[in-house]
Amino acid sequence: MKRGKKYQEAVKKFDKSQLYGPQEALKNVIACAPAKFDESVELHVKLGVDGRHADQQVRGAIVLPNGTGKTVRVLVFAKGEKAKEAEAAGADYVGAEDMVAKIQQENWFDFDVVVATPDMMGVVGRLGRVLGPKGLMPNPKSGTVTMDVTRALNDIKAGKVEYRLDKTNIIHVAFGKVSFGEEKLYENFHTLIGAIIKAKPSTSKGQYIRSLTISSTMGPGVKIAPIRAEE
C-alpha cells in the first residue's frame, strides 16, 4: 500500500519495531498526526480469544473520563412517557414505527447511536439487517436497551464508547482526539483498556492481549507492550 508523503515523514519520528509504554506511545501518536484536522486517536487490540464461541465474546461499554471529543447523535425508540423523557434528556431523534419506516424507505442514517426501551425491541428488530452490520443495533450489554433512557443518554453524551470484537478477534475503538493532549488521552486509554481487561471471558486461556496498537486517524500505528498495558 502506497502511503502519502506526510505519513512517510511521520513514520521516521519513532521506531516502529519497538514496544512502548502507553504514555510514550501517546507522545509519538500526537507528534505523528499528519492531518490538518483534529484527528481521532484509536485503540486496536488483538485478543487471544475465539469470538466464534458465545462464551468468548468480548463486548461492553464504558464512559471515558474526558469524553470522545465527538458530537454524538442519538436516536431513541420509545413511546409515551418514555419518548417524552428521551426528548427532555436531549435525544436528537425520538420515534417508533415512523423511524423504522424512515430508515427503511429513505435509507436514513443521520445518527451515531441507537437506544431503545425493551418494549420497542420487537419494532427495532425489523431493522436488524441494516443496523447490525453498522454496529448500531441496541444491546443490553452496552446499555442501549434500557428503561432508564435518561441515564443512557447522559452516559452517551458524556463520552460513552462501546467496544466489541470483530471477526478477526480485534477490538477497534476511538478514545479521544489529538487535541486532548497526552494526559487526557492517557486517562481515557487507562479507563478503556481496564474495561477490556476486566471483560476477559472466564473460558479464555493463555495470553489475553496478544497485541496493542494506538494511532491517529491518518497516522502510523504505535505498538504498546501488552504486559505494561495490563499493569
Side-chain angles (χ1 to χ4, degrees):
M1 182 178 178
K2 189 175 181 180
R3 299 286 190 175
K5 184 177 179 181
K6 288 183 179 180
Y7 181 96
Q8 292 176 20
E9 288 298 318
V11 171
K12 297 176 183 177
K13 295 181 180 180
F14 68 100
D15 184 353
K16 285 206 73 174
S17 65
Q18 184 175 334
L19 297 177
Y20 294 91
Q23 289 178 301
E24 192 173 0
L26 284 167
K27 282 182 181 178
N28 286 325
V29 167
I30 293 169
C32 295
K36 292 182 179 180
F37 64 88
D38 191 9
E39 298 179 52
S40 292
V41 179
E42 304 163 357
L43 172 66
H44 310 277
V45 190
K46 173 75 172 178
L47 297 181
V49 298
D50 188 347
R52 293 175 297 178
H53 302 293
D55 61 356
Q56 291 198 40
Q57 276 291 326
V58 178
R59 179 175 185 173
I62 190 76
V63 178
L64 300 176
N66 299 301
T68 62
K70 294 181 178 179
T71 299
V72 183
R73 301 162 299 175
V74 185
L75 165 61
V76 178
F77 282 94
K79 286 185 174 180
E81 290 301 315
K82 285 298 171 181
K84 293 179 182 177
E85 180 184 334
E87 290 173 352
D92 297 274
Y93 310 101
V94 181
E97 287 86 354
D98 57 326
M99 288 298 178
V100 172
K102 186 175 179 68
I103 292 169
Q104 290 178 329
Q105 297 170 15
E106 301 177 23
N107 197 33
W108 176 74
F109 291 100
D110 292 340
F111 49 88
D112 306 295
V113 181
V114 181
V115 174
T117 53
D119 59 301
M120 291 301 298
M121 285 307 292
V123 174
V124 180
R126 302 176 203 166
L127 299 170
R129 289 185 179 180
V130 292
L131 294 183
K134 293 179 180 292
L136 292 170
M137 195 67 182
N139 187 288
K141 290 184 178 179
S142 62
T144 49
V145 177
T146 177
M147 288 299 288
D148 194 347
V149 293
T150 297
R151 180 177 179 180
L153 281 160
N154 287 342
D155 284 350
I156 292 166
K157 295 289 187 178
K160 185 177 184 178
V161 294
E162 184 177 355
Y163 56 87
R164 60 186 298 180
L165 286 177
D166 67 7
K167 292 180 180 180
T168 59
N169 300 315
I170 299 175
I171 290 174
H172 308 274
V173 58
F175 63 96
K177 295 282 189 178
V178 168
S179 62
F180 281 19
E182 181 190 333
E183 186 176 337
K184 287 185 177 180
L185 283 171
Y186 177 73
E187 289 174 354
N188 280 0
F189 168 85
H190 189 268
T191 298
L192 177 58
I193 198 65
I196 293 172
I197 292 169
K198 191 175 181 180
K200 179 181 179 181
S202 59
T203 54
S204 174
K205 306 299 180 184
Q207 185 178 0
Y208 179 50
I209 295 182
R210 296 289 177 85
S211 67
L212 191 56
T213 304
I214 56 174
S215 67
S216 64
T217 306
M218 305 298 290
V222 181
K223 298 176 183 178
I224 295 177
I227 295 176
R228 296 183 196 176
E230 294 184 3
E231 288 176 348

